[in-house]
């Protein structure tokens, strides 16, 4: 009835039949990498199965018009239809010929347990996290149940909803199932590469099911790709593990994971569906298993070595899923790769790509408006991650996969930015807002939908990008990319010069025309009104912003982002490079020169310098200070030099503070190095890690003199949503009830402790309506980007006036 595809015999021509998952595993086996053997049940077998049960029509009809009348936006109907389809699949009997073929193939695997991994033949949409695998005993009844359950995964309610939202017709749902042996497992996890950065390795106890379900925090490693050296490691939080039931695979007298004892959880039917043939059980780890890394040092190095050999064969980032198993063929545990996923650059949806190719009308791309304003100019698509190796023509629209802060030289001369990745609170978007150029992020496929030389209109308010026809001065016959070969600039030099001329002309016009300048007050009262009791501060990082500060009625700089200031001061090099090269004197001089400019611009008003937050470079806030104390000492020397030059308005904020011990360490280093600090000098911490909510009184006892609430990080950690993701939509919400309650608690605790409390994240600017609550709770100051100072001032003034009015009415009423 069917032809199975064995992994070690799959040919390139079989790729569409077996799907991406099986195809890449077959590539590993062909190159003698350690991958588990197995076979694929192709999609044609599923079609033959449907024919055998005479149930083709409801499944293969176009679902909006089929007899199912499926409406995925009606939850009850969706659940009912999904339940009906799955019941038909699970209750039907496999044809005898198919079952006989499966049993024969399973016998060749020589294993007592199997895993059935479903996927689709098409590469898009992705099925990671949608289709679950099923582990069963290698017995006829269990084999039949495992295959049917794997097929039925494609017809769960969540799956049907996902397929419909991805634009798939039901005829395109062609499930394939990869069948592999499964053995008692010590550990499982993944290796993820990142271009130009450290690899990331995750490891958890037992099968990878706990990791896929998010039920355990794995051990974490950062590895140097070239040398295999471990740069950083963090112990996970592992309390449970899934593994084969006792007696499956290699017999065991009692549950063990490595050398760690574990205990079976008897009532685990809610976590592990109980069906005939299931061979997985849930275990709790003992104290030893929870307190030690799951991989021994030699095992970790072996995994790194095996991964290096695989990754060397691919010219892109990958994710390698792995297991460490006990097998009957070896006395020692062996590593096996269970899945290989390539991470190429994002592709434009076929429909969009076709529309762009065939239509001469403007292509409208959608994204997230990250910096307001509009700009129309010549596009230049930049796919090179190293700006020093490419040229960018001033006045153009920078189109890239992500807005990398290291591209600061390009950002300063760009008229606008379009990026495929990123979120509203990423550093690149923050820089765009400070530089005053429109930016739209989260534009899927932008680097393919837009070509270098196209005229592009960027609307940073609506989040729309209009890719217009190529400029007539450009020779569009040459399709070679322009972004990484400066010599190709001649092909569009005329258009580029026009773009630069227009850019410079408009810039000059804005500078010479008073009506085009932002409204600035000769005195605070002349434009904005009387000063407010709640201080208004600004967030800055670039010296080019200083001119915009001089006449603003602000109370100081509430956040000087040193890591972004360092890009300008250190020629866009990571401070760690300067540390490695031992260039302390030059580092201190350059950073002090920049900091002095800001201090002089707002004196005698205070400036709060936030020490280097290098999490985007692999370090983590103040943890980076304790981990590399020399770099923190250099920063303190910078502050010392600025103070000695006569600036008395400098203060320090420590970022990403996670424990009182970290603060005590930093405070001791400050006392040792920054001896001649001004009397009014204060040392604050960022309140962005949720633990500060519970430990603020302890921080104050340890010497914290003030806090600044970082709403960007606080929101992502409270809600579990990455702040830079363009895919979360409204999920990343600084007005969420949990976030607002946390902010209120921090403000009230600070007032009770008698210390100032500021807020410096993007929330007050993005959601002006929350300013009234902040003022009511007693916030000391609000710090925002320069371009939102006026709207924030008006929100503060309105809130204070409302409080005064409410108080007056209460007096009159009484």
């Amino acid at each position: 009835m069917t032809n199975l595809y064995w992994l070690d015999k799959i040919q390139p021509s079989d790729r569409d039949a077996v799907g991406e998952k099986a195809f890449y595993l077959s590539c590993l086996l062909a190159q003698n990498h350690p991958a588990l053997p197995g076979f694929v049940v192709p999609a044609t077998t599923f079609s033959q199965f449907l024919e055998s049960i005479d149930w083709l029509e409801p499944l293969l009809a176009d679902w909006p018009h089929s007899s199912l009348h499926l409406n995925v936006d009606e939850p009850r109907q969706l659940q009912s239809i999904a339940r009906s389809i799955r019941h038909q699949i699970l209750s039907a009997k496999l044809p005898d010929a198919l079952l006989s073929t499966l049993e024969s193939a399973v016998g060749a695997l020589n294993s007592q347990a199997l895993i059935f991994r479903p996927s689709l033949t098409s590469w898009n949409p992705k099925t990671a996290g949608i289709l679950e695998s099923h582990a069963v005993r290698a017995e006829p009844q269990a084999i039949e149940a495992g295959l049917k359950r794997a097929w039925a995964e494609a017809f769960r309610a969540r799956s049907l909803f996902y397929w419909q939202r991805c634009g798939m017709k039901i005829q395109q749902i062609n499930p394939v199932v990869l069948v592999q042996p499964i053995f008692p497992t010590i550990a499982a996890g993944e290796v993820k590469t990142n271009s130009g950065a450290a690899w990331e390795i995750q490891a958890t106890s037992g099968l990878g099911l706990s990791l896929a379900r998010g039920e355990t925090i794995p051990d974490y490693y950062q590895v140097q790709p070239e040398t295999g050296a471990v740069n950083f490691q963090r112990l996970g939080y592992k309390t449970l593990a899934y593994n084969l039931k006792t007696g499956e695979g290699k017999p065991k007298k009692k549950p063990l994971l490595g050398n760690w004892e574990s205990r079976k959880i008897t009532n685990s039917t809610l976590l592990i569906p109980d069906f005939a043939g299931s061979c997985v059980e849930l275990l709790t780890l003992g104290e030893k298993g929870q307190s030690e890394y799951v991989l021994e040092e030699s095992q970790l190095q072996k995994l790194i070595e095996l991964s290096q050999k695989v990754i060397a064969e691919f010219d892109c980032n990958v994710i390698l899923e792995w297991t460490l198993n006990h097998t009957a063929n070896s006395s020692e545990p062996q590593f096996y790769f269970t899945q290989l996923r390539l991470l190429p650059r994002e592709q434009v949806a076929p429909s969009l790509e076709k529309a762009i190719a065939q239509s001469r009308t403007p292509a409208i791309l959608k994204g997230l408006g990250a910096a307001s304003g509009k700009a129309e100019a010549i596009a230049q698509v930049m796919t090179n991650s190293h700006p020093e190796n490419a040229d960018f023509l001033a006045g153009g629209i920078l189109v890239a996969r992500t807005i990398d802060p290291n591209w600061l030289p390009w950002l300063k001369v760009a008229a606008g930015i379009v990026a495929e990745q990123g979120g509203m609170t990423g550093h690149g978007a923050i820089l765009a807002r400070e530089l005053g150029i429109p930016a739209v992020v989260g534009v899927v496929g932008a680097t393919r939908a837009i070509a270098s030389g196209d005229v592009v209109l960027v609307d940073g308010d609506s989040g729309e990008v209009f890719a217009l026809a190529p400029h007539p001065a450009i020779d569009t016959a040459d399709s070679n990319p322009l972004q990484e070969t400066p010599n190709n600039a001649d092909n569009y030099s005329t258009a580029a010069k026009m773009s630069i001329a227009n850019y410079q002309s408009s810039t000059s016009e804005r500078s010479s025309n008073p009506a085009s300048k932002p409204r600035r007050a000769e005195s605070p009262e002349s434009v904005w009104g009387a000063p407010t009791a709640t201080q208004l501060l600004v967030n800055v990082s670039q010296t080019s912003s200083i001119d915009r500060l001089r006449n603003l009625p602000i109370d100081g700089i509430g956040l000087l982002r040193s890591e972004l200031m360092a890009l300008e001061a250190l020629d866009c090099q990571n401070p760690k490079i300067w540390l490695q090269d031992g260039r302390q004197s030059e580092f201190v001089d350059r950073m002090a020169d920049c900091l002095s400019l800001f201090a002089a611009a707002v004196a005698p008003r205070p400036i709060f310098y936030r020490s280097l937050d290098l999490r985007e470079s692999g370090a983590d806030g103040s943890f980076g200070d304790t981990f590399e104390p020399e770099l923190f000492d250099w920063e303190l020397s910078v502050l010392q030099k600025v103070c000695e030059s006569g600036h008395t308005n400098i203060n320090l904020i420590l970022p990403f503070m996670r424990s009182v011990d970290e603060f005590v360490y930093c405070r001791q280093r400050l006392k040792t190095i920054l001896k001649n600090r001004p009397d009014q000098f204060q040392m604050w911490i960022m309140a962005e890690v949720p633990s500060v909510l519970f430990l603020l009184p302890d921080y104050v006892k340890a010497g914290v003199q003030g806090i600044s609430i970082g709403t960007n990080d606080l929101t992502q950690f409270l809600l579990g949503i990455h702040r830079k993701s363009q895919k979360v939509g409204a999920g990343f919400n600084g007005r969420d009830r949990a976030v607002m309650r946390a902010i209120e608690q921090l403000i009230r605790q600070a007032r009770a402790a008698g210390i100032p409390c500021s807020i410096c994240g993007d929330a007050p600017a993005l959601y002006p309506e929350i300013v009234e609550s902040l003022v009511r709770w007693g916030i000391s100051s609000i710090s925002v980007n320069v371009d939102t100072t006026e709207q924030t001032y008006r929100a503060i003034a309105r809130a204070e006036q409302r409080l005064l009015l409410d108080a007056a009415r209460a007096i009159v009423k009484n």
Side-chain angles (χ1 to χ4, degrees):
M1 178 181 179
T2 185
N3 291 320
L4 304 180
Y5 291 82
W6 286 90
L7 287 180
D8 59 351
K9 299 184 184 303
I10 289 175
Q11 302 297 317
S13 58
D14 300 327
R15 184 170 184 168
D16 292 339
V18 300
E20 299 291 290
K21 183 180 295 186
F23 178 75
Y24 287 122
L25 280 177
S26 72
C27 293
L28 293 182
L29 284 172
Q31 298 298 323
N32 296 318
H33 297 295
L36 289 173
F39 59 86
V40 177
V41 181
T44 53
T45 301
F46 178 65
S47 299
Q48 293 168 355
F49 166 71
L50 294 183
E51 291 176 356
S52 72
I53 63 175
D54 194 25
W55 211 61
L56 278 173
E57 188 275 329
L59 279 179
L60 299 183
D62 190 7
W63 49 10
H65 309 290
S66 72
S67 59
L68 297 176
H69 302 296
L70 177 60
N71 181 359
V72 297
D73 293 317
E74 291 291 338
R76 291 185 178 178
Q77 184 191 69
L78 177 62
Q79 291 283 354
S80 176
I81 295 298
R83 192 180 302 114
S84 174
I85 296 175
R86 288 169 51 78
H87 174 74
Q88 291 285 348
I89 294 173
L90 296 175
S91 61
K93 188 179 184 306
L94 290 183
D96 292 338
L98 172 58
L99 188 56
S100 175
T101 301
L102 287 174
E103 291 177 10
S104 176
V106 168
L109 292 177
N110 191 27
S111 174
Q112 298 182 26
L114 307 166
I115 187 165
F116 288 76
R117 305 179 186 272
S119 62
L120 300 185
T121 55
S122 60
W123 65 270
N124 193 29
K126 303 298 184 184
T127 59
I130 299 295
L131 306 179
E132 288 191 10
S133 301
H134 294 272
V136 301
R137 293 191 294 271
E139 301 171 352
Q141 184 179 2
I143 293 171
E144 179 177 12
L147 179 60
K148 291 188 295 186
R149 286 184 172 274
W151 280 337
E153 281 293 319
F155 301 97
R156 288 185 179 275
R158 67 184 182 193
S159 304
L160 294 176
F161 182 89
Y162 179 60
W163 309 142
Q164 200 272 349
R165 284 292 185 264
C166 291
M168 285 188 67
K169 294 183 178 181
I170 203 159
Q171 302 99 313
Q172 297 173 308
I173 302 175
N174 298 314
V176 296
V177 181
L178 172 62
V179 184
Q180 292 177 287
I182 185 171
F183 303 104
T185 304
I186 296 174
E190 68 177 34
V191 179
K192 182 178 181 180
T193 68
N194 188 4
S195 298
W199 292 353
E200 296 178 323
I201 296 180
Q202 296 183 2
T204 193
S205 300
L207 299 170
L209 185 59
S210 62
L211 191 59
R213 291 183 171 185
E215 296 168 350
T216 184
I217 299 176
D219 297 339
Y220 175 80
Y221 305 87
Q222 288 184 352
V223 177
Q224 189 67 27
E226 296 82 7
T227 64
V230 178
N231 297 336
F232 172 79
Q233 63 185 53
R234 181 185 63 231
L235 184 67
Y237 183 69
K238 310 177 293 294
T239 59
L240 56 84
Y242 294 89
N243 220 323
L244 293 183
K245 290 180 180 178
T246 304
E248 306 288 349
K250 186 177 180 179
K252 291 184 175 293
K253 296 181 179 179
K254 58 181 178 180
L256 290 174
L257 293 169
N259 296 320
W260 306 323
E261 290 194 11
S262 54
R263 180 173 57 85
K264 179 179 179 180
I265 298 178
T266 55
N267 298 319
S268 61
T269 55
L270 292 179
L271 294 176
I272 304 177
D274 187 16
F275 66 91
S278 176
C279 64
V280 173
E281 64 182 356
L282 184 61
L283 308 170
T284 57
L285 296 180
E287 182 178 350
K288 183 178 178 64
Q290 296 182 37
S291 60
E292 294 186 5
Y293 288 93
V294 64
L295 293 179
E296 300 173 0
E297 178 64 27
S298 60
Q299 293 171 339
L300 176 61
Q301 289 303 317
K302 181 64 174 178
L303 174 61
I304 293 172
E305 177 186 341
L306 293 172
S307 300
Q308 285 175 322
K309 294 178 181 178
V310 172
I311 294 167
E313 299 183 18
F314 295 92
D315 187 24
C316 62
N317 290 327
V318 303
I319 294 178
L320 273 172
E321 295 183 13
W322 56 268
T323 60
L324 179 61
N325 297 335
H326 285 296
T327 63
N329 299 328
S330 176
S331 59
E332 296 294 327
Q334 300 294 316
F335 280 104
Y336 292 95
F337 294 118
T338 59
Q339 187 167 344
L340 168 64
R341 285 183 281 161
L342 304 188
L343 301 175
R345 69 178 186 175
E346 293 191 53
Q347 297 183 357
V348 183
S351 59
L352 177 59
E353 195 170 32
K354 182 177 180 181
I356 294 172
Q358 295 182 352
S359 175
R360 297 187 62 85
T361 59
I364 302 176
L365 309 177
K366 298 285 187 178
L368 175 67
S372 63
K374 295 181 178 66
E376 180 177 340
I378 303 297
Q380 189 167 344
V381 181
M382 312 296 290
T383 58
N384 195 329
S385 60
H386 301 285
E388 66 275 11
N389 296 333
D391 289 338
F392 178 75
L393 299 179
I397 302 296
L398 173 61
V399 182
R401 294 173 189 159
T402 184
I403 306 176
D404 191 332
N406 292 326
W407 294 3
L408 181 60
W410 290 349
L411 300 181
K412 285 187 172 182
V413 297
I417 298 172
V418 179
E420 293 181 335
Q421 303 172 12
M424 191 72 179
T425 60
H427 279 171
I430 290 171
L431 271 174
R433 291 195 291 272
E434 183 174 348
L435 295 172
I437 56 176
V440 179
V441 300
V443 184
V444 176
T447 58
R448 293 195 59 183
I450 300 172
S452 291
D454 286 353
V455 178
V456 172
L457 172 62
V458 179
D459 189 337
D461 299 302
S462 66
E464 294 179 321
V465 179
F466 298 86
L468 310 177
H471 196 282
I474 299 175
D475 181 8
T476 57
D478 185 354
S479 61
N480 290 330
L482 306 168
Q483 59 269 24
E484 296 176 16
T485 32
N487 292 336
N488 284 344
D490 292 339
N491 292 334
Y492 65 114
S493 58
T494 303
K497 289 176 181 177
M498 290 177 60
S499 173
I500 296 172
N502 292 336
Y503 175 71
Q504 293 173 339
S505 174
S506 61
T507 303
S508 175
E509 182 181 350
R510 288 195 300 269
S511 299
S512 60
N513 183 4
S516 67
K517 293 183 180 181
R519 295 204 327 186
R520 297 178 181 173
E522 294 299 328
S523 63
E525 293 82 0
S526 63
V527 176
W528 290 8
T532 58
T534 306
Q535 289 188 330
L536 176 61
L537 307 172
V538 292
N539 306 332
V540 292
S541 67
Q542 302 301 298
T543 56
S544 59
S545 300
I546 290 178
D547 284 341
R548 303 170 68 188
L549 304 181
R550 297 193 187 280
N551 295 320
L552 288 178
I554 57 174
D555 296 293
I557 296 176
L559 177 64
L560 179 58
R561 295 185 174 95
S562 62
E563 65 280 356
L564 298 182
M565 184 189 81
L567 292 174
E568 181 178 25
L570 307 179
D571 300 329
C572 290
Q573 291 182 329
N574 191 309
K576 287 187 175 182
I577 297 177
W578 290 62
L579 177 64
Q580 294 167 3
D581 295 341
R583 301 165 65 184
Q584 178 179 3
S585 177
E586 191 176 359
F587 174 94
V588 173
D589 289 345
R590 289 194 179 199
M591 293 287 286
D593 287 345
C594 268
L595 180 54
S596 295
L597 292 175
F598 287 107
V602 298
R605 295 163 292 180
I607 174 174
F608 287 85
Y609 170 94
R610 186 181 68 184
S611 62
L612 291 169
D613 186 350
L614 300 179
R615 279 174 287 154
E616 290 194 354
S617 304
D620 287 335
S622 290
F623 180 80
D625 300 336
T626 58
F627 186 67
E628 292 180 345
E630 190 176 358
L631 187 57
F632 183 57
D633 289 353
W634 286 14
E635 285 193 272
L636 295 178
S637 298
V638 170
L639 299 182
Q640 180 67 44
K641 182 172 183 178
V642 174
C643 291
E644 290 175 348
S645 66
H647 298 291
T648 60
N649 57 339
I650 301 294
N651 302 277
L652 175 64
I653 303 180
L654 300 176
F656 211 71
M657 189 58 60
R658 291 174 293 197
S659 74
V660 177
D661 290 340
E662 289 178 8
F663 173 78
V664 170
Y665 169 80
C666 293
R667 186 166 181 260
Q668 290 172 343
R669 297 306 304 162
L670 182 138
K671 287 182 176 180
T672 301
I673 297 175
L674 193 55
K675 296 180 179 179
N676 299 323
R677 55 189 181 275
D679 294 338
Q680 62 268 39
F681 180 91
Q682 290 190 335
M683 189 176 188
W684 290 21
I685 63 170
M686 292 292 297
E688 50 196 347
V689 177
S691 60
V692 178
L693 286 165
F694 309 101
L695 299 177
L696 186 55
D698 296 333
Y699 279 111
V700 175
K701 290 179 182 179
V704 167
Q705 296 170 286
I707 63 172
S708 185
I709 302 173
T711 58
N712 299 341
D713 278 329
L714 183 63
T715 300
Q716 80 166 347
F717 293 128
L718 283 174
L719 303 183
I721 298 175
H722 201 291
R723 58 180 280 195
K724 300 176 187 176
S725 173
Q726 72 273 20
K727 300 177 181 178
V728 296
F732 188 90
N733 184 1
R735 297 167 295 183
D736 185 271
R737 286 191 302 166
V739 178
M740 293 302 293
R741 287 184 182 180
I743 293 173
E744 179 183 7
Q745 179 178 328
L746 287 168
I747 295 172
R748 296 192 186 282
Q749 285 188 83
R751 292 191 65 188
I755 63 171
C757 177
S758 182
I759 188 167
C760 65
D762 286 301
L766 295 176
Y767 320 111
E769 63 272 19
I770 74 171
V771 170
E772 183 172 336
S773 296
L774 299 177
V775 173
R776 184 185 309 112
W777 295 332
I779 196 77
S780 305
S781 59
I782 298 177
S783 191
V784 295
N785 292 327
V786 179
D787 60 336
T788 59
T789 50
E790 184 171 351
Q791 74 173 45
T792 305
Y793 165 80
R794 297 190 183 282
I796 292 173
R798 189 183 307 112
E800 292 183 348
Q801 290 169 4
R802 187 183 298 277
L803 287 176
L804 290 173
L805 181 61
D806 290 345
R809 286 173 173 170
I811 293 174
V812 172
K813 184 177 180 180
N814 293 334

